[in-house]
Every structure is written in structure tokens, then in C-alpha cells.
Amino acid sequence: MPKNTLGEHLRQQGMSRRSFLKFCSLLASGMALSPALVPRIAQALEATRRPSVIWLSFQECTGCTESLTRSHTPTVEGLIFDAISLDYHHTLQAASGHAAEAAREEAMKENFGQYILVVDGSIPLDNPGFSTIAGISNLDMLKETAKGAAAIVAVGTCAAFGGLPKANPNPTGAVPVSDIITDKPIINVSGCPPIPVVITGVLAHILTFGGLPELDDLGRPAAFYGQSIHDRCYRRPFYEKGLFAETFDDEGAKKGWCLYKLGCKGPVTFNACATTKWNEGTSFPIESGHGCIGCSEPDFWDFGGFYEALSRPTGQTGKNAVYGVAAGTAVGAAVWAMNRAKKEEAVRGHEKLTMDELNREGEES
Ligand code: FSX
């Protein structure tokens, strides 16, 4: 771990006190915290040492790293990456071959028990040769590197829940990080890929407070995954009025009506896309005219088709069983009138509710 504190490091880089406080404000907003906490964040950061971060990539498409790097300085992302010591990252590091592996081993040795391990990608269990780095299987590298980690951040739906490699028929026997490592705190930052500001917001939280953010029951930071896309969608008023696009080029689509009937999975997807948006707040899929595909939820590839409306029963269990019966506007509205806690319990607990039960919940609330 670098010997200088973050405050010293940023001052050495020429950052003024004013810019430092602005940096802290950006962190606060990145972590979805109140601006009132900025002085506390500043105080904590002044004294903290930049943590060593080891980033491992297993079975994935590199979309998570691509997402992370889609930023233009001076964004919060750029600043955060001045604030940590990224000691190993397959894609971003300059070193290669033996030198790269030596960097990982050195970082592990020097910072044992203190470094943050970031993992993207799933781990193949069916054959150690399916995915290797420097001749080391993903399974062995994960186990070896996790030993000295203070905490693990599973970035992307592949690392968090298995993702695309685990999709039926899961040819490599892919599993998420949490299936292998059970004795370390794990934060799941799901999304395929995850929103960059959410990745950096989580790192900022660990950096500032030295601990884990509040997590939901899927291990995701509640500040970013606490509400569904549907809850915060700007097209929601059209849903409430029963105004739906029926095709991607009809009048409803042109008027920006709700995409529920075109397969939008916003009602069963918990993520921050509708609020943080993408590309520095430019837009998000629904704003671009395409329904949410549910990429931050477990097994989203097997949900039943990206263009399959939730209103059509799919025969699937879990979330689709809950919302698959939410046919049409009237019942859909009843489901969404459900008490929030009950609704979340139903979604996250994969509880199967019958149509009658859903209607009853809607009427009672
Ligand atoms: Fe998976 Fe990430 Fe999707 Fe790709 O590292 S979450 S396939 S965006 O790259 O792991």
C-alpha cells in the first residue's frame, strides 16, 4: 500500500484545497450521500492511504472495463483512479507476461490483508483449462488472490451472478465469485456492464469509510440498487395511464409511451440507470427507445426473451413468475400499487405469487 495519504498524494499532484473539496462533493454524489457529509468525507480522505487494488478478469467480454473507462477527466471516475493504487489489471496495466504476474504477487505480499480485490467475469468449474491466465486457472487465481484481500468487489453480472457464461446450458460450468469465496465480504456490483459511476462509487465508499456500504439481499449496494428501473422511469406516467407502444415504430413509440409491452424488464430490475444514466448522464436504454433487458438481475439471459413482454406468462419461476402474470394495465397497476416492502420481498425472495394473490395485494394497499 502506498505510504502517502490520499490528501498528500493529491496535493503532490497539484490539487488545491478548493479542488479537493469539489472532489469530495463528487464522491458524495457518486456514493449517493448527502452534501452535508462532504466535510466528513474530506476529513476521512485526508488521512487515508490509497488502497492497493488487484483487478482480475475471468470469463467475460471486457464490457465491464470498457464501461469503467468510458469517462473523460476530470470526472469522478478519473479522480477515483488517482485515489487508489491499481496494482494489477489485465487490460489496463502496461506490464505483460512475467512482469505482470510479478506485480500481482508483489501487491499481494506487500499488502496482505489490506488490498481490495476486484473481480469481473465468472469462474468455469467444469474444466480448469477453459480459462487461464499465465497458465493459472481462474479458480486457482481467485482462491490465491482472495486469501489476502480485505474485501472483494464482484464487478459485472458475470462475477456477481454468473452472467452470460452461466446462461443455459452453461457449457463451462460457470459460477459467480460468491460460490467460491465464502469467508470474505463480497460486494456485488451487477450490470452487464455495470454503470461506471456505480463501480467507482463503491470503491469511493470503501476508500472513505473503510467498510462496506449497506447491501441488499443480493449483496448489491442499496444506494444504487434500492429501486427498480420502473420506479424511477420517466415513462412511468404513461404506464399509469395505460399508454403503451405496441411496436418500435408506431405512434406510441414516437410519443415516448411505456415500453412494457415490448419486453421492458424495468419492473423487475433493480439498478440506477434511470437516475445516474450513462455516458455522463446523457441517456439510458429506455430513453433511447429500447426496453430494459434486466442485466443487473441474476439469470437475466434466461428470463424468456428480451422482447417478450412480462405480461405473457413464461412458465419461469422466480421473478418472471411474479411479474409474468401481471397481465395488462389493470393488473400491472395493481401489482405496482403493492406495498413496496412486500413487492421487494416478492421480487427478491423469488416468492411465487398467484394472480389472485397479486390482485388481492394490489386491492389491499
Ligand atoms: Fe460480464 Fe464484464 Fe457483461 Fe461483459 O467483465 S457483466 S459479459 S459487460 O464484461 O463480465
Side-chain angles (χ1 to χ4, degrees):
M1 185 176 285
K3 297 211 172 9
N4 56 351
T5 65
L6 177 59
E8 287 163 351
H9 174 75
L10 294 176
R11 273 195 294 278
Q12 278 163 10
Q13 291 196 325
M15 186 180 278
S16 66
R17 179 76 190 162
R18 188 187 173 89
S19 300
F20 178 64
L21 288 173
K22 194 175 164 198
F23 169 69
C24 295
S25 300
L26 287 169
L27 284 190
S29 67
M31 290 184 281
L33 295 175
S34 157
L37 287 172
V38 169
R40 196 176 145 208
I41 292 170
Q43 202 178 17
L45 284 184
E46 284 267 33
T48 199
R49 287 195 298 159
R50 289 186 302 140
S52 166
V53 174
I54 298 176
W55 186 306
L56 303 177
S57 297
F58 298 142
Q59 290 194 130
E60 43 80 35
C61 76
T62 313
C64 298
T65 293
E66 288 286 346
S67 167
L68 183 68
T69 55
R70 288 293 176 274
S71 60
H72 305 277
T73 45
T75 60
V76 61
E77 294 90 340
L79 290 167
I80 288 292
F81 275 85
D82 279 339
I84 63 171
S85 175
L86 190 58
D87 291 330
Y88 183 87
H89 187 304
H90 299 172
T91 314
L92 302 180
Q93 69 196 7
S96 61
H98 295 303
E101 289 315 301
R104 180 175 68 90
E105 281 159 24
E106 196 179 313
M108 280 165 41
K109 201 167 134 194
E110 276 188 12
N111 308 301
F112 195 85
Q114 295 179 308
Y115 58 83
I116 299 167
L117 172 60
V118 180
V119 179
D120 62 20
S122 63
I123 303 95
L125 292 188
D126 277 359
N127 182 331
F130 280 155
S131 178
T132 64
I133 299 155
I136 306 168
S137 73
N138 291 168
L139 180 63
D140 286 347
M141 188 173 276
L142 174 62
K143 283 180 174 172
E144 183 190 17
T145 316
K147 266 185 207 153
I152 300 174
V153 184
V155 166
T157 302
C158 297
F161 306 130
L164 172 59
K166 182 172 171 282
N168 186 36
N170 190 2
T172 65
V175 297
V177 173
S178 56
D179 274 20
I180 308 293
I181 307 299
T182 53
D183 60 348
K184 299 278 177 183
I186 298 175
I187 307 167
N188 287 328
V189 183
S190 62
C192 188
I195 303 167
V197 76
V198 174
I199 304 173
T200 53
V202 169
L203 293 174
H205 188 286
I206 298 172
L207 182 67
T208 308
F209 301 111
L212 268 58
E214 185 196 346
L215 304 177
D216 70 8
D217 61 3
L218 290 176
R220 303 177 296 194
F224 299 108
Y225 297 86
Q227 289 183 295
S228 72
I229 299 295
H230 187 65
D231 282 344
R232 303 301 298 269
C233 182
Y234 76 103
R235 295 194 191 216
R236 178 70 179 265
F238 294 116
Y239 176 92
E240 303 297 351
K241 287 181 187 162
L243 297 173
F244 299 97
E246 303 280 343
T247 67
F248 283 106
D249 57 358
D250 68 5
E251 274 307 300
K254 286 174 192 159
K255 287 176 178 167
W257 290 356
C258 177
L259 301 170
Y260 184 82
K261 291 189 177 177
L262 293 174
C264 182
K265 304 297 184 292
V268 295
T269 304
F270 289 77
N271 205 341
C273 302
T275 44
T276 62
K277 301 190 179 181
W278 288 77
N279 299 317
E280 297 182 59
T282 303
S283 179
F284 72 113
I286 291 169
E287 197 169 345
S288 304
H290 193 286
C292 167
I293 61 170
C295 79
S296 56
E297 298 301 319
D299 302 328
F300 78 98
W301 290 98
D302 297 324
F303 262 10
F306 293 158
Y307 302 100
E308 196 85 6
L310 288 170
S311 56
R312 289 177 212 152
T314 62
Q316 301 242 338
T317 57
K319 290 167 194 158
N320 268 11
V322 176
Y323 292 100
V325 294
T329 324
V331 180
V335 172
W336 293 109
M338 277 170 72
N339 168 280
R340 179 179 159 76
K342 183 77 185 171
K343 187 168 71 182
E344 288 191 359
E345 185 186 73
V347 174
R348 296 177 185 197
H350 292 216
E351 178 186 320
K352 291 185 211 169
L353 296 182
T354 65
M355 188 142 166
D356 282 348
E357 284 171 325
L358 282 171
N359 282 328
R360 211 164 35 245
E361 292 289 350
E363 284 160 12
E364 284 169 3
S365 58

